[in-house]
Amino acid sequence: MSLDETFAELKGDGIRGGMISDISLGGMAFSYQPEKTPVDGFKHVDIYMAKNGFRLSGVPCAIVYDTIDLT
């Protein structure tokens, strides 16, 4: 499956969205624009694919790793 145009929105204390770069049974990685609000308040994620309109909403999640990409 190609992840082109596949996005995630973290939801909880606000909303943070970005493009998914990797997803599997073990977790998901995606890039987003940095903001001042911490990511530890996010409790659910929505995943959607722009090409076919697929949307999976309200999936429980936990942030296990968050870093700034300097590339």
Side-chain angles (χ1 to χ4, degrees):
M1 171 178 74
S2 172
L3 291 177
D4 294 341
E5 298 182 44
T6 303
F7 301 92
E9 284 185 340
L10 290 174
K11 296 185 174 184
D13 295 339
I15 297 175
R16 180 161 306 153
M19 187 173 287
I20 295 174
S21 57
D22 186 32
I23 191 167
S24 69
L25 291 175
M28 176 182 75
F30 77 104
S31 300
Y32 61 89
Q33 294 295 316
E35 297 180 21
K36 292 182 181 184
T37 57
V39 295
D40 58 350
F42 295 105
K43 304 296 182 202
H44 294 89
V45 65
D46 291 355
I47 299 169
Y48 59 97
M49 301 175 78
K51 285 186 178 182
N52 63 9
F54 172 83
R55 185 172 192 103
L56 181 61
S57 299
V59 179
C61 71
I63 308 298
V64 294
Y65 185 73
D66 184 41
T67 186
I68 297 173
D69 184 3
L70 300 174
T71 59

